[in-house]
Amino acid sequence: MAKNLTYKILEAHLMEGQLVPGEEIGIKIDHTLLQDATGTMAMLEFEAMGIEQTRAELSAQYVDHNLLQTDNKNADDHRFLQTACGRYGIHFSRPGNGICHQVHMERFGVPGKTMVGSDSHTPGAAGISMLAIGAGGLDVALAMAGQPYFFPCPRVLGVKLVGQLPEWVSAKDVILEMLRRYDVKGCIGKIVEYYGPGVRSLSATDRETIGNMGTELGATTSIFPSDENTLRYLEAQGRGSAWVQLEADDGVPYDEDAEIDLSSLEPLIALPSSPGSVVPVREVAGTKVDQIIVGSCVNSSFRDLMVVAKIMEGRIASHDTFFHINPGSRQVLENVAAQEGLLALLKAGARIHQSGCLGCIGMGQAPGTGQVSLRTFPRNFPGRSGTKDDKIYLCSPETAAAAALKGVITDPRDLGKAMPYPRIKDPEHFIIDEASVIFPSPELRHIEIERGPNIKPFPSLDPLPETLEAEVVLTVGDNISTDIIMPAGNQILPLRSNIEAISKFVYAQISPEFHQKAKSKGAVVVIGGENYGQGSSREHAALAPRYLGVRAKIVKNFARIHKANLCNFGILPLVFKNFTDYERCKCGSKIVFPDIKQRLKDGDREIPVDVDGKRIITILDVSPRQRNCIIAGSTLNYAK
Ligand code: MIC
Ligand code: SF4
């Protein structure tokens, strides 16, 4: 039977369940990816499992988020991670070496392999045709322990690409077009598979940009065929032998279909403060811009920085803007330097930063009050930059460069009147830099793991009671991101290995008293709208609220990773059967979940809930495995 590429890879890795959309499946994981902000907790969880060394084919740990080192905490965590990697046979990419998704693709990614990563943008590895999924740290730790990765079998959205991108339009505009069509929740429960003749005109790093930001569509992941462009990229990385050809069978049907004519696209931009608020750049042209940042785990490749360098060559950035470059990796920077792109950027007045997430997660580069910032990043949720009421726009490198020159939002096609469009080709052979990667070795297996004072033991989580009584302490609306639930930024991100300390910031942006209130009540409930928990994979957005007493969340629907994290930490992820009941649940409402434990044991899908004495029905749509984890209080408790 003809198959799409998604199901070919899933079938080759299937360990549990059946490939029926919506049913839970468990797949074998080949590669695991950790970054430092989620990785410290994941490493502690892996240690708690008592496994001798990683059982994945390849495990890598990157240090890219927590680079500020304003006190001992980051450096202590880096040392912990480096020594733990040595001990457990994990590749360690040192601070400043680059952003996990960029470096994994450069140095380790292999077409057709599966990967689970404790970062929501892990699907960027679609650039070299990996089936790569973002997950909570505990799920990655379990994959390192050789366990299957469990998730609901997705539907496949086949996106046929035809035509070729016009000048001044690039890969970012393709994914912004997808976001314009599907918004931030249009692809929940789906894998987006790109195919068709237009795919051939996109390089591996172009595809990375599109796959990476598929996360913003709510997609489980995205996938591209592995073709001659994939081979060329791997050969340029000195890893041609890793290539295999992969594609969907001819004429295979998809669960859903879409088509994009690349030649019809124009420069697009996401408005503040959602990656889904996409309009043509020309509609907001002329808006004054105060800050421009090129970089992050999308749009920080050799091509992306070189196209900006070529546009800026011999010109100077507007003095009304601050122009930043965040390279994706040291290797990218070296290659850009070797082709004189670095010099062009420096002479244009750009501020060149080390490789890392930096301002994308509020680690510096916060814009000033009321200022407009144009970034090539994947997401712009409210307040994420570190500035309250921030005005962050998301765009392509071409649009960013045009704004850097003009000081206002500018359709980059306007530049075409004064200069030719710089078409950038990757070099045949990249300069390869592995100086900052520490490879696993037998000697390191005996290393002593160093733990700084910021690394606190994992909190103990009690099992589900027979009947749960709780109080609503917060009600929120639609599209609440994990940046709202558990903010990041320079004050909070360094506390990721200290749950007690970080829990003080839960919902701090919208409800500064949440922490006190929740702790004083014992057991509490949060009420939410649609797409609740979109965005990052951070399990701290489940673990820290649970530590404060959150035992259930009742919402209209959940984002995938957050829902899985809630189950992992024993929080009931319930959905209103009747959306109008949302109005019934107010702050202060008393909630009773009668015989909840027995109902979970019995496999009940409909869960009655008494809200101030009135009964409503909620839906618990989780697997039998997840039911057991919630009953035990957490997945770790259940595993024990
Ligand atoms: C993000 O882009 O939101 C992050 C920061 O990379 C997160 C991970 C984290 O919170 O540590 C993600 O994407 O999962
Ligand atoms: Fe880092 Fe931003 Fe990418 Fe997250 S989205 S991995 S913070 S660069």
Side-chain angles (χ1 to χ4, degrees), residues 35 37-38 65 118-121 361 379 384 483 496 536-538:
Q35 44 92 331
T38 50
H65 284 64
S118 66
D119 190 281
S120 67
H121 293 109
I361 191 56
R379 52 175 63 138
R384 178 176 158 96
D483 279 308
R496 287 282 182 92
S536 91
S537 68
R538 64 190 69 149

Side-chain angles (χ1 to χ4, degrees), residues 180 208 217 264 310 412 443 455 465 561:
R180 194 185 66 75
E208 196 277 342
L217 298 163
S264 71
K310 285 289 174 199
E443 296 82 70
I455 294 181
I561 308 179

Side-chain angles (χ1 to χ4, degrees), residues 35 64-65 99-101 119-121 212 216 296-298 356-357 360-361 377-379 384:
Q35 44 92 331
D64 49 4
H65 284 64
I99 306 177
C100 51
H101 311 305
D119 190 281
S120 67
H121 293 109
N212 175 311
E216 311 313 330
S296 85
C297 57
V298 286
C357 298
C360 182
I361 191 56
F377 298 174
R379 52 175 63 138
R384 178 176 158 96

Side-chain angles (χ1 to χ4, degrees), residues 5-155:
L5 179 53
T6 302
Y7 273 53
K8 284 187 189 183
I9 302 179
L10 286 177
E11 214 171 75
H13 289 83
L14 194 66
M15 289 173 77
E16 288 188 33
Q18 285 177 6
L19 293 175
V20 177
E23 282 190 17
E24 185 171 86
I25 51 173
I27 60 167
K28 177 180 176 293
I29 292 299
D30 303 318
H31 288 195
T32 65
L33 174 151
L34 295 174
Q35 44 92 331
D36 53 339
T38 50
T40 37
M41 189 52 66
M43 198 67 89
L44 292 170
E45 289 157 351
F46 179 71
E47 278 196 303
M49 293 171 197
I51 311 271
E52 274 300 294
Q53 78 183 96
T54 179
R55 292 180 180 160
E57 233 167 78
L58 186 144
S59 289
Q61 164 76 60
Y62 298 89
V63 180
D64 49 4
H65 284 64
N66 257 323
L67 299 178
L68 274 186
Q69 297 183 229
T70 48
D71 62 17
N72 63 301
K73 294 189 197 70
N74 292 169
D76 284 352
D77 285 358
H78 300 166
R79 190 54 87 194
F80 164 67
L81 289 173
Q82 180 170 340
T83 50
C85 283
R87 169 73 186 75
Y88 296 119
I90 297 165
H91 293 69
F92 182 71
S93 170
R94 305 182 73 206
N97 189 43
I99 306 177
C100 51
H101 311 305
Q102 176 72 32
V103 180
H104 202 84
M105 193 157 129
E106 287 170 352
R107 304 312 319 139
F108 304 119
V110 176
K113 299 271 181 195
T114 55
M115 174 156 79
V116 70
S118 66
D119 190 281
S120 67
H121 293 109
T122 302
I128 41 168
S129 310
M130 297 185 80
L131 194 92
I133 304 180
L138 180 55
D139 284 326
V140 181
L142 286 164
M144 282 160 53
Q147 298 292 316
Y149 172 63
F150 294 99
F151 65 110
C153 180
R155 291 163 60 77

Side-chain angles (χ1 to χ4, degrees), residues 322-500:
F322 297 96
F323 176 36
H324 301 244
I325 301 282
N326 299 351
S329 69
R330 287 162 56 92
Q331 189 177 297
V332 163
L333 190 57
E334 285 168 30
N335 283 281
V336 170
Q339 311 260 342
E340 301 198 358
L342 183 56
L343 196 59
L345 290 167
L346 284 167
K347 285 189 157 176
R351 294 171 63 178
I352 309 289
H353 297 265
Q354 66 172 318
S355 309
C357 298
L358 316 176
C360 182
I361 191 56
M363 302 300 275
Q365 302 181 312
T369 315
Q371 293 186 357
V372 166
S373 176
L374 233 65
R375 302 171 166 202
T376 66
F377 298 174
R379 52 175 63 138
N380 58 346
F381 299 133
R384 178 176 158 96
S385 67
T387 298
K388 207 167 182 287
D389 302 322
D390 53 8
K391 294 196 183 70
I392 311 291
Y393 293 70
L394 307 175
C395 65
S396 71
E398 286 85 344
T399 304
L405 281 177
K406 306 288 182 192
V408 294
I409 298 181
T410 304
D411 186 322
R413 292 173 299 185
D414 292 353
L415 299 182
K417 294 168 197 150
M419 65 176 94
Y421 177 56
R423 282 226 185 261
I424 308 295
K425 275 193 145 187
D426 281 351
E428 246 174 64
H429 298 286
F430 284 111
I431 298 167
I432 288 165
D433 180 1
E434 288 185 336
S436 291
V437 178
I438 302 178
F439 286 80
S441 79
E443 296 82 70
L444 290 175
R445 297 290 322 286
H446 306 291
I447 199 167
E448 187 161 334
I449 299 179
E450 290 181 37
R451 280 165 230 275
N454 190 40
I455 294 181
K456 295 283 187 272
F458 193 80
S460 74
L461 302 173
D462 55 334
L464 192 68
E466 299 297 335
T467 283
L468 180 63
E469 294 185 18
E471 183 177 321
V472 175
V473 286
L474 182 69
T475 69
V476 293
D478 292 344
N479 296 321
I480 289 295
S481 74
T482 55
D483 279 308
I484 296 286
I485 304 168
M486 182 73 264
N490 64 339
Q491 303 290 317
I492 309 174
L493 208 58
L495 302 172
R496 287 282 182 92
S497 49
N498 183 343
I499 296 304
E500 188 190 353

